[in-house]
Amino acid sequence: MNHYGPIIRHAAEILHGGDYNPDQWLENPKIIDRDFELMEKSGCNTFSVGIFSWTALEPAPGEYRFDWLDRIMDRMAEHGFHVILATPSGAKPAWLATAYPEVCRVDADRRREPYGSRHNHCWSSPVYRERLGAINAKLAERYADHPALSAWHISNEYSGACYCERCIDRFRGWLKERYGTLENLNRAWCNAFWSHLHTGWNEITPWGGSECNTLDWRRFTTFQCCDFMKFEVDTVKKFTPDIPATTNMMGFFEGLDYWRVAEVCDFISDDVYPPWDTQPDIRMLAAEISMRHDMHRSMKGGKPFLIMESAPSATNWCPCHRLKRPNQHRFEELCAVGHGADGTLYFQWRKSRGNLERFHGAVVDHAGSSETRVFRDVAELGALYRKCPELCGSGYPAEAAVVFDWENYWSFSISSGPGDTRQKKYVETVLEHYRALWTQNVPLDVIESLSDFSKYRLLVCPMLLMLKPGVAERLKAFVSGGGTLVMTCLSGCEDESGRCFLDGWPGDGLMELFGIWNEEIGGIPPFDRQSLRFGGREYEVVEYAERIHPRGAQVLAEYTSDFYAGAPAVTVNASGNGKAYYIAARTREAFLADLYAGIISEIGIKPVLPAGNDGICGALRVGRGGEWLFLYNYTGEKREAVLPAGKFTVVGSGAAASGYLMLPPYGAEILKK
């Protein structure tokens, strides 16, 4: 099991803290004094500073004011706190937009956006890069040797696209590099359809009407973001080459391929705001945030990550602003740590007095009290973290992986079929397969189709419509080498340009691997009823049912209704030393749970918790300091957790535990073996 060093400089403990904005309180220094008192009392040790401070740092072009930040950095160092210092590109100054309108984006309707919201800067603007590069360099040079500087927070929640002529020209140049010639581009985009053949590069825009045109624009937007982030990283690394850099992601945000953004980060950070007010089924909610965490841990090969933002109480922009119930804050934060986070931070440390997020949850409320329920929850978690610093850097022993691929996600959202967006449900389908294994307490990684498959025993690829170059060969090698592969309907249909394979589906040579031929993709409308028979039971089929033919595969399940009756619905094919399963229909989770239970039993994957843990899920971290078992009760009632064999210590209380442990409603505990 791998063990990793600190994700930020000089951090030998679990990181705990939040987004701190002292520039909002410069006219009231007593509030800042009180903040430092409360920071100590809360058990927090890490603060992200300066995220939206550009105007406070540079109120006029070239006029820099670092005195207030100097004082904050020095006080952070005096208290032994870590500072994740931000570059301020997330919100540009009004003076910059006024003097240079070109730094503002052009929207998809070709209108220059006015100054106002954050994140509306043009990725390509030389002026914006010049002004940003100057202040980034000033920050890095000034604080390069400061003892509080522990990491760089590069911008904030990168998002959006610019449609100005400069960006569109860059898009054309990016396409030239990707395809070489217009003939290659026309062929890849299937532009003979609807007479979309291009005869000059200047004809190409983001609105070309071709699905691959749109797909490549999304790829280009990710390229623009990564290029811009690299620019920012380079400006600060010139003075601080050993200080790690990250940017905060937003889970399954569709706008950017986070696998590519991850390549620019030294460690991964994420913003997590579970919708406690809209999802009454906490099991569904817990599985979704666990999948996010497993993905972010997997993005750097298992390296621990950081929760950069979470809400210690209600989130102001959620529909209902519902308060977290007792234990839910602890549950949420320990879910992240159990799945590989080495720290959990909050947005925000202190509630803003005014403007857009003045009602957003914070560790410290407007009254500045330490007697609130939220502050006590945070302080209790800080005390728990201080009891297990050796947990940091430990790994997560996953032998199974689920594939979540952004470009595949885009292909479904862009494609005009099969079915509409309400039917395709790519994210929901991947989550359903993940949840079927997660509920059985199987440790999982969440990877992309370009990731290394070789370290896993089970690989699940739901709805892998797009096969990028080399993926089919690597899947075949995985199975031949002894791996177990599961793929589903709507898999292996097209290449990376969205062109359908002409050698049958699943294409690119996968028909031989699975021992089937997929003749037709069929939709199941709400008025149809379909099911499959597996292991003597019937399971409902919804939304998709393909008509497949065995070509060497063993049939495990058959359809029961309509003209599908008796036709194969689920198959398995032996290949080399492994097996390849194909699920030709979309089912409910009950079928997936039963199918995966048999698979993991057959191949010997050991769950984290033994059977009999209804309503309880677990996670395991292993490192040089030992083994830590995380327990989570995702129900609103007390539950008795059945423990694995062995003796454990409950980290929070110091009590011994073996056999069973009672958890309160939404309870979460760390046990050391």
Side-chain angles (χ1 to χ4, degrees):
M1 174 56 61
N2 291 332
H3 189 275
Y4 303 87
I7 57 175
I8 68 174
R9 185 170 69 162
H10 301 154
E13 65 281 318
I14 297 177
L15 308 179
H16 190 215
D19 186 344
Y20 185 43
N21 302 288
D23 44 312
Q24 296 178 11
W25 307 102
L26 295 179
E27 295 178 355
N28 197 334
K30 289 184 178 180
I31 286 182
I32 295 177
D33 292 341
R34 177 63 173 158
D35 280 334
F36 278 92
E37 293 174 13
L38 293 172
M39 289 171 182
E40 287 283 3
K41 195 170 185 178
S42 69
C44 289
N45 56 34
T46 305
F47 299 90
S48 51
V49 177
I51 296 172
F52 301 121
S53 301
W54 193 336
T55 309
L57 293 167
E58 189 183 8
E63 181 184 319
Y64 297 105
R65 295 181 182 174
F66 295 112
D67 54 327
W68 65 269
L69 185 55
D70 290 344
R71 293 192 296 271
I72 295 298
M73 294 289 287
D74 290 346
R75 293 184 76 166
M76 290 284 181
E78 289 168 8
H79 286 265
F81 296 154
H82 306 290
V83 172
I84 303 177
L85 189 59
T87 63
S89 63
K92 60 185 175 294
W95 59 257
L96 181 56
T98 302
Y100 303 99
E102 70 158 71
V103 305
C104 295
R105 285 178 179 163
V106 171
D107 66 21
D109 293 324
R110 305 192 184 196
R111 297 173 300 192
R112 180 76 63 180
E113 295 179 1
Y115 173 78
S117 182
R118 56 179 182 157
H119 282 304
N120 64 342
H121 53 269
C122 171
W123 301 112
S124 306
S125 167
V127 172
Y128 194 70
R129 292 195 180 210
E130 178 185 358
R131 297 310 314 171
L132 178 63
I135 192 168
N136 284 0
K138 290 285 185 182
L139 285 166
E141 186 174 21
R142 190 176 190 90
Y143 300 111
D145 299 318
H146 200 286
L149 178 62
S150 298
W152 285 107
H153 186 317
I154 305 297
S155 195
N156 182 72
E157 297 179 337
Y158 283 120
S159 62
C162 179
Y163 295 80
C164 73
E165 285 304 315
R166 182 179 284 115
C167 287
I168 292 174
D169 283 344
R170 283 195 94 191
F171 177 47
R172 293 165 180 152
W174 181 86
L175 291 171
K176 286 181 183 179
E177 186 171 345
R178 181 176 178 87
Y179 294 105
T181 67
L182 279 172
E183 290 75 14
N184 291 338
L185 179 143
N186 282 322
R187 190 179 304 112
W189 287 10
C190 290
N191 279 344
F193 185 79
W194 279 357
S195 190
H196 274 62
L197 290 167
H198 289 297
T199 58
W201 292 100
N202 64 320
E203 299 169 0
I204 301 174
T205 72
W207 309 277
S210 156
E211 288 182 352
C212 192
N213 188 336
T214 304
L215 181 62
D216 271 342
W217 174 255
R218 293 199 180 187
R219 288 173 173 141
F220 170 72
T221 298
T222 292
F223 163 79
Q224 285 273 76
C225 175
C226 292
D227 181 71
F228 191 85
M229 185 179 173
K230 288 173 185 175
F231 161 76
E232 290 214 61
V233 170
D234 287 346
T235 62
V236 297
K237 291 272 189 162
K238 178 180 178 181
F239 301 96
T240 58
D242 298 325
I243 302 295
T246 189
T247 193
N248 45 337
M249 300 180 182
M250 297 177 285
F252 303 119
F253 171 65
E254 186 178 347
L256 295 171
D257 182 347
Y258 277 152
W259 292 103
R260 307 287 74 79
V261 177
E263 294 169 352
V264 192
C265 298
D266 293 315
F267 65 95
I268 302 302
S269 61
D270 187 37
D271 296 349
V272 184
Y273 296 101
W276 294 97
D277 59 337
T278 59
Q279 175 53 275
D281 188 340
I282 305 304
R283 184 183 77 99
M284 302 280 281
L285 191 65
E288 181 176 349
I289 61 176
S290 297
M291 179 173 158
R292 287 177 61 156
H293 300 330
D294 287 343
M295 177 178 69
H296 291 120
R297 185 192 66 251
S298 303
M299 281 180 164
K300 302 300 278 188
K303 182 178 181 177
F305 60 98
L306 175 67
I307 300 301
M308 186 68 78
E309 292 184 20
S310 61
S313 59
T315 306
N316 74 314
W317 39 260
C318 282
C320 187
H321 199 76
R322 186 176 192 256
L323 299 179
K324 289 183 181 178
R325 272 34 190 176
N327 297 319
Q328 285 184 343
H329 171 259
R330 177 185 174 106
F331 180 106
E332 179 183 323
E333 305 304 301
L334 289 189
C335 183
V337 177
H339 284 264
D342 270 4
T344 57
L345 310 186
Y346 310 108
F347 181 85
Q348 47 196 329
W349 167 255
R350 176 184 283 272
K351 287 186 178 179
S352 302
R353 186 170 187 180
N355 227 308
L356 297 176
E357 293 181 303
R358 64 191 182 279
F359 297 117
H360 197 291
V363 179
V364 180
D365 66 4
H366 292 119
S369 173
S370 63
E371 301 304 316
T372 64
R373 179 176 71 109
V374 171
F375 189 92
R376 287 194 297 270
D377 284 349
V378 170
E380 288 172 6
L381 190 62
L384 176 62
Y385 285 166
R386 289 196 296 273
K387 292 180 179 180
C388 47
E390 69 275 20
L391 174 61
C392 291
S394 55
Y396 191 86
E399 296 181 292
V402 177
V403 170
F404 180 85
D405 193 288
W406 247 274
E407 293 191 5
N408 195 63
Y409 181 15
W410 291 342
S411 188
F412 276 112
S413 67
I414 292 167
S415 171
S416 56
D420 64 13
T421 303
R422 294 168 297 176
Q423 183 176 356
K424 285 182 276 192
K425 299 179 183 175
Y426 175 66
V427 178
E428 295 89 336
T429 302
V430 177
L431 178 57
E432 195 159 38
H433 283 260
Y434 174 93
R435 191 169 55 243
L437 288 159
W438 171 89
T439 303
Q440 298 179 65
N441 290 297
V442 174
L444 296 163
D445 282 349
V446 178
I447 62 176
E448 67 166 340
S449 67
L450 299 179
S451 300
D452 178 17
F453 304 151
S454 63
K455 59 182 177 179
Y456 302 109
R457 299 169 68 184
L458 172 63
L459 181 64
V460 180
C461 301
M463 292 176 67
L464 193 60
L465 186 76
M466 175 191 294
L467 295 177
K468 299 174 186 175
V471 170
E473 287 74 15
R474 291 168 48 247
L475 289 173
K476 288 185 279 189
F478 170 77
V479 175
S480 178
T484 298
L485 171 65
V486 179
M487 291 185 79
T488 73
C489 58
L490 287 105
S491 290
C493 300
E494 64 184 36
D495 66 13
E496 64 177 341
S497 295
R499 297 178 300 180
C500 290
F501 292 112
L502 301 180
D503 56 350
W505 294 342
D508 208 10
L510 292 186
M511 282 199 304
E512 292 79 11
L513 176 64
F514 287 95
I516 64 164
W517 169 44
N518 179 8
E519 181 186 355
E520 293 180 282
I521 297 173
I524 305 293
F527 58 80
D528 274 350
R529 292 292 179 267
Q530 185 58 269
S531 62
L532 60 82
R533 186 177 291 108
F534 171 74
R537 293 180 56 191
E538 285 195 14
Y539 300 85
E540 185 181 12
V541 168
V542 295
E543 296 167 332
Y544 289 106
E546 295 175 337
R547 294 185 65 249
I548 64 173
H549 303 279
R551 288 186 169 178
Q554 176 189 352
V555 177
L556 299 180
E558 297 176 341
Y559 295 112
T560 64
S561 305
D562 201 11
F563 77 106
Y564 288 87
V570 182
T571 61
V572 63
N573 190 50
S575 180
N577 295 316
K579 291 183 178 181
Y581 290 78
Y582 192 86
I583 306 171
R586 178 175 288 163
T587 68
R588 303 295 189 189
E589 189 183 330
F591 167 74
L592 297 177
D594 287 348
L595 176 68
Y596 286 125
I599 291 175
I600 62 175
S601 175
E602 179 182 337
I603 64 180
I605 290 180
K606 186 178 179 181
V608 170
L609 297 179
N613 271 297
D614 184 39
I616 305 290
C617 59
L620 182 68
R621 292 186 66 175
V622 181
R624 286 198 296 262
E627 293 186 13
W628 288 267
L629 177 67
F630 289 75
L631 299 175
Y632 312 98
N633 174 8
Y634 52 74
T635 75
E637 57 190 36
K638 289 194 297 185
R639 288 292 172 98
E640 190 173 60
V642 182
L643 302 180
K647 296 180 179 180
F648 297 87
T649 299
V650 181
V651 173
S653 66
S658 62
Y660 303 90
L661 184 70
M662 186 64 71
L663 295 176
Y666 311 119
E669 292 288 356
I670 307 174
L671 280 63
K672 186 170 184 184
K673 190 169 185 179

